[in-house]
């Protein structure tokens, strides 16, 4: 390895370490900010049922829905995440500035999960898909009340049975009546300063649990049906549920760090292969030249013997 390459690797490694540290610090600061809001929503001593109810109502009623024009007025480093980042704003930005101006459900789900996490309550994102297996809406599965209940924070919905028990994903997939009864309680607000003058009601035909999974199969692009059918064919009805959106995706800073780290690892691996491929080729050429030289020397030996034999003839 040349000194220039070694120097470049050291500089690149130090830069990557600093970037990772900065991204990690931004998440930790976000978590502290989110915890401060969470403990104003509900006391730490509250039951998990009370916390889930309170946080669901807060996300629907208190998180602002900015318009595109309002997003343009955000500070540049915040505006960039709303307008250009593929990962969209994280939960801290959502609580401070509002939901994404186009699709608020992901923003609300992230904020909801982060607020619950401040209380130590685990949750997972669920993506509702359309007939073409494209993700169109997100809700959250929450580990509370000794089961895994479904909440739709965008519409202020805590899905329940008539007796108050949390409704699970399986319940809502298989019981259309239960699903539709819960929908009657749900609504979302509009956008902008007069958002609360408008109430939007959820469409049960569009946003239902018939194709609700823990992963957005849209990420597989044109291969989404191939992946889905392979999982279903190999593992049955539970197969498509085994692909889960990673929890670190809640924080775009974590996602950015992981992509950068994998990218750096890929570059190093490619460099290693190229370097060793060159060495292998060089050794092959040297070995071939050595074999050819040896063969030439061996080929000359019989002639020498023959010449020596002829010289002894009378």
């Amino acid at each position: 390895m040349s000194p220039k390459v070694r120097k470049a690797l050291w500089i690149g490694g130090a830069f990557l370490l600093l970037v990772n540290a900065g991204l990690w610090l931004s998440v930790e600061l976000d978590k502290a900010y989110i915890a401060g809001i969470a403990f104003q929503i509900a006391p730490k001593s509250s039951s998990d049922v009370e916390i889930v109810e309170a946080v669901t109502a807060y996300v629907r009623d208190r998180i602002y829905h900015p318009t595109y024009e309002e997003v343009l007025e955000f500070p540049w480093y915040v505006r960039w995440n709303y307008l250009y980042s593929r990962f969209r704003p994280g939960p801290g930005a959502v609580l401070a500035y509002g939901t994404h101006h186009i699709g608020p459900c992901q923003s609300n789900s992230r904020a909801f999960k982060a607020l619950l996490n401040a209380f130590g309550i685990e949750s997972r994102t669920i993506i509702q898909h359309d007939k073409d297996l494209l993700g169109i809406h997100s809700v959250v599965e929450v580990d509370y009340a000794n089961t895994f209940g479904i909440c739709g924070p965008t519409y202020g919905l805590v899905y329940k049975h008539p007796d108050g028990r949390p409704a699970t994903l399986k319940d809502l997939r298989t019981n259309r009546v239960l699903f539709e009864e819960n929908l009657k309680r749900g609504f979302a607000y509009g956008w902008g300063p007069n958002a609360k003058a408008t109430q939007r009601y959820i469409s049960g035909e569009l946003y239902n649990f018939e194709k609700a999974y823990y992963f957005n199969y849209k990420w597989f692009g044109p291969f989404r049906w191939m992946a889905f059918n392979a999982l279903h064919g190999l593992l049955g009805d539970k197969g498509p549920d085994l692909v889960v959106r990673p929890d670190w995706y809640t924080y775009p800073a974590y996602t950015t760090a992981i992509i950068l780290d994998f990218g750096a690892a890929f570059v190093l691996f490619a460099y290693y292969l190229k370097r060793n491929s060159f060495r292998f080729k060089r050794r092959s050429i040297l070995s071939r030249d050595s074999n050819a030289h040896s063969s030439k020397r061996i080929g000359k030996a019989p002639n020498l013997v023959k010449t020596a034999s002829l010289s002894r003839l009378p």
Side-chain angles (χ1 to χ4, degrees), residues 130-199:
D130 63 13
K131 62 181 180 180
D132 294 320
L133 204 62
L134 298 171
I136 55 174
H137 186 62
S138 63
V139 294
V140 181
E141 181 186 72
V142 183
D143 182 3
Y144 80 109
N146 299 315
T147 189
F148 295 94
I150 305 299
C151 297
T154 298
Y155 288 87
L157 275 172
V158 178
Y159 288 90
K160 302 177 184 177
H161 288 274
D163 61 4
R165 288 179 297 114
T168 66
L169 178 58
K170 183 179 179 181
D171 295 333
L172 296 168
R173 276 177 178 166
T174 57
N175 190 335
R176 182 75 187 192
V177 173
L178 176 65
F179 167 64
E180 290 179 349
E181 284 298 316
N182 276 274
L183 287 191
K184 296 175 182 178
R185 297 183 290 103
F187 67 89
Y189 293 112
W191 282 265
N194 299 317
K196 292 194 174 180
T198 304
Q199 291 187 359

Side-chain angles (χ1 to χ4, degrees), residues 54-298:
V55 172
T56 302
Y58 181 91
V59 171
R60 196 265 311 274
D61 298 338
R62 300 289 299 277
I63 294 181
Y64 188 63
H65 293 182
T67 63
Y68 174 74
E69 290 73 21
E70 289 175 306
V71 170
L72 294 178
E73 299 300 320
F74 290 171
W76 68 267
Y77 52 89
V78 177
R79 183 172 66 244
W80 187 89
N81 282 318
Y82 281 78
L83 298 179
Y84 309 114
S85 173
R86 190 173 182 82
F87 308 133
R88 295 192 172 182
V94 170
L95 289 167
Y97 294 94
T99 64
H100 193 272
H101 55 288
I102 297 175
C105 64
Q106 184 185 70
S107 300
N108 285 327
S109 293
R110 281 178 169 174
F112 181 72
K113 284 168 58 65
L115 289 166
L116 291 182
N117 189 253
F119 292 98
I121 297 176
E122 298 293 326
S123 60
R124 292 195 293 184
T125 303
I126 291 177
I127 309 298
Q128 295 174 327
H129 296 71
D130 63 13
K131 62 181 180 180
D132 294 320
L133 204 62
L134 298 171
I136 55 174
H137 186 62
S138 63
V139 294
V140 181
E141 181 186 72
V142 183
D143 182 3
Y144 80 109
N146 299 315
T147 189
F148 295 94
I150 305 299
C151 297
T154 298
Y155 288 87
L157 275 172
V158 178
Y159 288 90
K160 302 177 184 177
H161 288 274
D163 61 4
R165 288 179 297 114
T168 66
L169 178 58
K170 183 179 179 181
D171 295 333
L172 296 168
R173 276 177 178 166
T174 57
N175 190 335
R176 182 75 187 192
V177 173
L178 176 65
F179 167 64
E180 290 179 349
E181 284 298 316
N182 276 274
L183 287 191
K184 296 175 182 178
R185 297 183 290 103
F187 67 89
Y189 293 112
W191 282 265
N194 299 317
K196 292 194 174 180
T198 304
Q199 291 187 359
R200 298 178 294 114
Y201 295 90
I202 191 167
S203 168
E205 293 304 316
L206 186 61
Y207 302 135
N208 55 60
F209 291 88
E210 292 174 10
K211 286 186 173 64
Y213 306 103
Y214 297 104
F215 184 82
N216 190 347
Y217 278 87
K218 182 171 68 175
W219 286 8
F220 285 115
F223 305 104
R224 61 186 180 277
W225 279 110
M226 185 186 300
F228 178 87
N229 291 330
L231 287 166
H232 191 273
L234 290 170
L235 303 168
D237 291 340
K238 293 184 179 179
D241 287 333
L242 297 179
V243 183
V244 178
R245 173 179 281 184
D247 199 49
W248 44 258
Y249 191 73
T250 302
Y251 290 90
Y254 278 156
T255 308
T256 302
I258 288 168
I259 290 174
L260 285 175
D261 292 346
F262 270 97
F266 177 79
V267 169
L268 286 175
F269 183 65
Y271 172 75
Y272 172 81
L273 289 179
K274 183 179 179 181
R275 188 163 176 260
N276 282 274
S277 174
F278 174 76
R279 284 182 175 179
F280 177 75
K281 286 180 181 178
R282 189 164 177 267
R283 286 175 183 171
S284 298
I285 291 169
L286 291 173
S287 177
R288 187 176 62 212
D289 290 347
S290 176
N291 291 336
H293 184 64
S294 299
S295 299
K296 197 178 289 184
R297 291 181 62 189
I298 293 170

Side-chain angles (χ1 to χ4, degrees), residues 27-38 91-97 115:
V27 172
E28 292 304 306
L29 291 173
D30 265 4
K31 286 182 177 180
Y33 169 71
I34 291 164
I37 294 174
V94 170
L95 289 167
Y97 294 94
L115 289 166

